[in-house]
Amino acid sequence: MTQREYQVTGMTCGHCELSVREEVEQLAGVTDIAVSAAAGTLTISAPDDLDDAGVIAAVGEAGYSAVRA
């Protein structure tokens, strides 16, 4: 099981969290997602290795920017 944390910039509310969650949950293999606008974090779990570029692109699709923490 792989777990990765990302710092997400620009989230301010629950709607922001939902937007990020909806984009990231479309990535293959993702089994768990935790998003916190207050902390500016995104934590993802998957059984296999995660593609950082894919995660960052998905967050970008939601309208935010991310970097691996």
Side-chain angles (χ1 to χ4, degrees):
M1 182 66 75
T2 299
Q3 185 173 24
R4 297 254 176 90
E5 186 170 316
Y6 300 85
Q7 193 67 40
V8 181
T9 305
M11 293 190 300
T12 59
C13 63
H15 183 265
C16 299
E17 293 173 350
L18 182 61
S19 295
V20 170
R21 177 181 295 278
E22 287 175 344
E23 291 296 332
V24 172
E25 71 186 2
Q26 295 179 40
L27 297 172
V30 171
T31 57
D32 189 47
I33 303 167
V35 186
S36 172
T41 59
L42 164 65
T43 304
I44 304 172
S45 298
D48 298 314
D49 197 29
L50 290 164
D51 174 29
D52 288 329
V55 172
I56 291 168
V59 172
E61 285 293 318
Y64 308 96
S65 60
V67 294
R68 188 167 168 192

